[in-house]
Amino acid sequence: MMMAFVNASSTIGALASIQDDLHVSGSTLVWITSSFTLALVSLVMSAGTVGELYGRRLTYLVGVVLAASNPAPANRRT
């Protein structure tokens, strides 16, 4: 859950950049945030099932690696 919170926090922190880069309104930002939260919740629920099938430790480690590697390509943008 902590990793999901950190991931959601980074999206909330990036809303100003998203608004400037995409030239969207405040209501569109609400849609962006809501859709990201919905996708995140569905992944967390699916991770619970995967954790039961393959083991919680392995599932947690795979999730940490994926969450840590996800922002790396975005940071290389020039």
Side-chain angles (χ1 to χ4, degrees):
M1 291 304 288
M2 184 197 72
M3 294 302 292
F5 177 73
V6 169
N7 204 350
S9 297
S10 65
T11 302
I12 292 170
L15 286 178
S17 298
I18 292 171
Q19 188 173 21
D20 291 340
D21 291 345
L22 299 178
H23 308 290
V24 296
S25 65
S27 61
T28 304
L29 288 177
V30 172
W31 278 100
I32 291 170
T33 306
S34 298
S35 61
F36 180 77
T37 303
L38 181 63
L40 189 62
V41 167
S42 65
L43 287 173
V44 168
M45 291 175 61
S46 299
T49 304
V50 171
E52 291 292 325
L53 292 173
Y54 297 107
R56 292 183 182 108
R57 185 176 194 169
L58 177 64
T59 303
Y60 177 75
L61 291 175
V62 169
V64 167
V65 168
L66 288 175
S69 65
N70 188 16
N75 291 335
R76 294 183 196 170
R77 190 181 88 173
T78 58

